[in-house]
Amino acid sequence: MEAKNFIEDIINEELEGGVVNEVHTRFPPEPNGYLHIGHAKSLCLNFGTAKKYGGKCNLFFDDTNPSKEKTEFVDAIKADIEWLGFKWYEMHYASDFFDDIFELAIKLIKDGKAYVCDLTAEQIRETRGTLTQPGTESPYRNRSVEENLRLFNEMKEGKYADGEKVLRAKIDMASPNINMRDPVIYRVLHATHHRTGDKWCIYPMYDYAHPICDSMQGVTHSLCTLEFEDHRPLYNWVVENTGVAHKPRQIEFARLNIANTVMSKRYLKKLVEEGTVRGWDDPRMPTLTGLRARGIPANALKNFCEAVGVAKANSEIESGYLEHFVREDLNANAERAMAVINPIKVIIENYEGSELLDFDTKPQLEESPTRKITFSKELYISAEDFSDNPPPKFFRLKPEGYVRLKNAYIIKCERVEYDDNGAIAQLICSYLPESKSGSDTSGMKVKGTIQWVDAATCVDVTVKKYDYLLKDAEYSGQDFGERFNPESEKIFVGKAEKYLAECKEGESFQLLRVGYYKTGKENGKTVLHEITSLKDTYKAK
Ligand code: ATP
Ligand code: MG
């Protein structure tokens, strides 16, 4: 099979050499928050690689840190994965394996490869050494196996307070890799776990638990992000020294970073908790639930992840790149409809009555289906489509000027009526009866076509436009709070075809000349949420 990244190169080599005979991956979130776009990349990689090789991919909840984890997050993570359309082979929790993980710690103690240490967290840090200096051995390093077994069991029985004792792997305090300098593998933590309740008051550390859980699940390739590269020797040490039967391999890949957005759960949580955004599902959030609320199609996100690819070095992607795939998907799939922003009334003085016109709902198809729209004497157009002081080359409506109303007629602006404040009150226009779209015999060529709605049948809507969550960083390390873009949400009044108020909530449309929008309701009123603009600012490299 042709490899499309370095991970597939490795797998191909292993399959050829008989090192492995199947591919089994896992997606390993910690249920301490909601998934974001970065996780989508990891999901696409783990599920995609398994699928390509006819293998399996598990969903694995890394729940070794009970103080931060919640069932709410577990449920949200599952819903997000299902939204992306991935089906896990089996679902496991690290907590399913707590008994095995404990027994393997006992084995390490019996083999003289782990010891109970009474140093405080701070003392452990201080004696760990630096990149240029070796660490110093703990005075508890040479406790007897019997004493270690007794103390470790006492830790488990709840005899010690949080932080009073830890279990450490006995590896090498002079190792050039600091992670190998007798890392802590178990800690005392009197916290209620969202699944095991108060059964345990000691919890294994990630670096120790993860390889064991991978092995127990039959994972062949444990794919993780680059910051774990330095932890790989410890991963391998745990696999070798606990003697687990099945030996998985850790491979690191680059994180996905996107400009003008934040991908760390810690900061996303802060935005939610401080009320800067309305919740994890705020449409400006880079969370999968936020993207779904925004109306981003799952397929667009997957195509984006695919296009970004898998690399060994970290980089930052322009946010326009994701929008490019969103537009590509919506342009092909979304129905068209009409709405106007900041409406101005248009009176067609020579038109009487009303009629039904054909509106092309999917002009992107070779044969567009049509839907009937109403046309009558009073209409609305967007404020930006009229100017009483037009710059050169203004091809929308202007005094004495002509414009085509989409799927309707050519109109001419005869005069402008102003209110007492000097603002435009309404436009008095005339129409050319023979210019009807589809049967135009007017012989008239007009440069501009604009969208409109019929005043008799349209509905009031709220239009919400979104911009990047964060402003550009002015200096590196600037706090995300300071970078929050107060203009990330802007609200406008609008008028829309009644069709948009009557259709299913959450449907996506291309609003002609306005953008891609999703329908919603707030307090019974129709809201149109911007998904993305019409224009592609992304230049493919
Ligand atoms: P965060 O820092 O946002 O909390 P995390 O890495 O702690 O992220 P986990 O729940 O531990 O989040 O991650 C689950 C999986 O998703 C891990 O394999 C992790 O490496 C991967 N992942 C997380 N963020 C990204 C990202 N930006 N790009 C690619 N993969 C990611
Ligand atoms: Mg994490």
Side-chain angles (χ1 to χ4, degrees):
M1 236 173 293
E2 205 192 320
K4 63 174 191 279
N5 58 48
F6 75 97
I7 293 177
E8 294 184 1
D9 279 328
I10 294 174
I11 293 175
N12 283 347
E13 224 169 86
E14 289 182 345
L15 287 169
E16 270 162 40
V19 181
V20 295
N21 48 29
E22 62 156 358
V23 173
H24 193 159
T25 57
R26 86 287 171 263
F27 173 66
E30 182 179 354
N32 63 351
Y34 283 67
L35 299 184
H36 50 63
I37 307 180
H39 292 115
K41 173 169 174 176
S42 175
L43 278 160
C44 289
L45 176 63
N46 279 295
F47 280 93
T49 308
K51 187 170 176 203
K52 173 162 178 171
Y53 290 94
K56 303 163 186 156
C57 180
N58 285 1
L59 170 56
F60 173 72
F61 286 106
D62 164 34
D63 58 350
T64 51
N65 200 356
S67 46
K68 292 189 189 153
E69 296 154 4
K70 284 200 248 167
T71 308
E72 171 201 345
F73 298 134
V74 168
D75 294 340
I77 288 171
K78 290 201 290 200
D80 284 343
I81 299 174
E82 282 164 357
W83 172 62
L84 281 177
F86 293 122
K87 293 197 174 37
W88 53 84
Y89 172 65
E90 288 172 347
M91 183 174 74
H92 292 286
Y93 295 81
S95 53
D96 295 342
F97 302 112
F98 278 175
D99 285 322
D100 305 282
I101 296 170
F102 177 80
E103 288 309 321
L104 289 170
I106 298 279
K107 176 181 181 332
L108 287 177
I109 294 173
K110 287 184 176 160
D111 291 347
K113 290 171 178 169
Y115 61 96
V116 173
C117 181
D118 299 3
L119 295 181
T120 63
E122 200 183 326
Q123 288 168 325
I124 290 178
R125 211 168 19 242
E126 280 166 2
T127 52
R128 186 160 285 159
T130 63
L131 286 174
T132 50
Q133 279 182 327
T136 30
E137 293 188 353
S138 161
Y140 305 100
R141 198 172 200 262
N142 295 314
R143 275 178 163 151
S144 68
V145 168
E146 288 67 34
E147 190 182 4
N148 281 320
L149 285 175
R150 177 175 60 81
L151 292 172
F152 187 51
N153 274 306
E154 285 176 359
M155 281 168 66
K156 182 186 178 228
E157 302 303 313
K159 212 166 156 197
Y160 303 109
D162 292 1
E164 203 179 327
K165 281 186 169 40
V166 293
L167 185 70
R168 296 176 73 175
K170 193 172 181 177
I171 308 180
D172 178 6
M173 288 307 289
S175 169
N177 183 330
I178 295 180
N179 294 308
M180 300 297 274
R181 296 182 188 168
D182 292 10
V184 173
I185 60 174
Y186 257 99
R187 67 203 190 287
V188 177
L189 186 63
H190 294 269
T192 303
H193 188 281
H194 71 108
R195 294 186 74 241
T196 56
D198 294 320
K199 177 175 176 195
W200 296 91
C201 62
I202 54 171
Y203 290 94
M205 302 303 286
Y206 174 89
D207 280 341
Y208 168 64
H210 206 77
I212 296 173
C213 294
D214 279 343
S215 170
M216 298 269 168
Q217 294 174 79
V219 165
T220 53
H221 299 89
S222 180
L223 311 180
C224 64
T225 37
L226 274 183
E227 68 273 21
F228 290 100
E229 194 171 6
D230 286 347
H231 298 238
R232 193 185 336 128
L234 178 53
Y235 184 100
N236 291 337
W237 186 92
V238 173
V239 168
E240 287 309 319
N241 290 280
T242 55
V244 285
H246 171 78
K247 303 202 185 316
R249 170 174 183 175
Q250 174 179 309
I251 306 172
E252 308 84 19
F253 64 94
R255 287 183 96 80
L256 171 65
N257 296 305
I258 300 184
N260 299 95
T261 191
V262 47
M263 220 96 87
S264 144
K265 266 186 243 162
R266 203 157 67 88
Y267 283 106
L268 293 175
K269 205 177 212 147
K270 200 167 155 215
L271 289 172
V272 173
E273 280 167 3
E274 291 175 0
T276 315
V277 294
R278 281 181 297 270
W280 289 99
D281 62 350
D282 189 292
R284 292 165 294 178
M285 290 281 272
T287 51
L288 300 191
T289 147
L291 296 180
R292 188 156 75 232
R294 179 80 174 256
I296 304 287
N299 270 330
L301 185 56
K302 289 202 270 190
N303 290 340
F304 164 74
C305 290
E306 187 68 26
V308 166
V310 179
K312 275 192 224 181
N314 283 323
S315 64
E316 189 172 81
I317 308 284
E318 281 178 59
S319 46
Y321 198 34
L322 171 59
E323 288 162 36
H324 168 81
F325 290 96
V326 172
R327 235 171 248 124
E328 186 177 79
D329 186 284
L330 292 173
N331 183 41
N333 299 312
E335 196 177 311
R336 273 51 171 168
M338 293 202 283
V340 300
I341 296 181
N342 297 331
I344 325 185
K345 177 140 302 162
V346 168
I347 310 275
I348 317 271
E349 46 180 7
N350 61 341
Y351 188 91
E352 293 306 328
S354 71
E355 69 184 293
L356 292 174
L357 299 173
D358 285 326
F359 176 76
D360 296 323
T361 58
K362 289 206 166 175
Q364 68 271 40
L365 304 179
E366 228 164 273
E367 289 260 324
S368 176
T370 59
R371 166 159 67 71
K372 296 290 180 197
I373 53 171
T374 65
F375 184 87
S376 66
K377 191 179 181 74
E378 295 192 11
L379 312 169
Y380 287 104
I381 64 170
S382 287
E384 64 163 26
D385 286 335
F386 175 79
S387 174
D388 51 5
N389 182 20
K393 300 201 172 156
F394 185 83
F395 298 123
R396 289 160 275 171
L397 198 58
K398 55 193 170 193
E400 308 276 306
Y402 292 84
V403 80
R404 172 171 287 285
L405 297 179
K406 182 73 185 169
N407 280 148
Y409 298 95
I410 294 173
I411 60 167
K412 178 185 178 195
C413 178
E414 304 288 351
R415 40 185 206 284
V416 187
E417 290 183 2
Y418 295 90
D419 65 16
D420 296 342
N421 302 319
I424 295 169
Q426 53 187 18
L427 307 176
I428 309 299
C429 300
S430 61
Y431 85 116
L432 302 184
E434 66 283 8
S435 67
K436 187 167 171 174
S437 292
S439 58
D440 180 4
T441 56
S442 67
M444 179 119 187
K445 288 268 171 286
V446 293
K447 282 228 169 100
T449 299
I450 62 173
Q451 85 283 13
W452 54 278
V453 293
D454 180 358
T457 55
C458 71
V459 292
D460 287 322
V461 293
T462 302
V463 178
K464 293 194 172 179
K465 292 196 183 196
Y466 302 106
D467 202 343
Y468 301 130
L469 194 57
L470 300 183
K471 293 183 283 192
D472 281 330
E474 273 156 35
Y475 56 92
S476 63
Q478 193 173 20
D479 183 69
F480 286 109
E482 294 163 32
R483 288 180 58 197
F484 178 73
N485 176 7
E487 308 231 306
S488 54
E489 180 177 273
K490 288 192 196 159
I491 297 179
F492 300 86
V493 293
K495 303 257 184 198
E497 287 184 64
K498 196 155 97 200
Y499 183 72
L500 291 173
E502 288 170 345
C503 74
K504 216 169 66 218
E505 231 179 288
E507 206 130 333
S508 304
F509 287 91
Q510 184 193 100
L511 300 182
L512 293 185
R513 304 184 59 252
V514 175
Y516 293 100
Y517 280 75
K518 197 187 93 163
T519 58
K521 289 262 191 270
E522 277 173 24
N523 306 320
K525 189 169 176 191
T526 300
V527 184
L528 300 173
H529 301 268
E530 183 184 43
I531 305 170
T532 188
S533 61
L534 289 174
K535 219 160 103 221
D536 213 331
T537 49
Y538 182 77
K539 301 219 177 15
K541 294 197 179 84

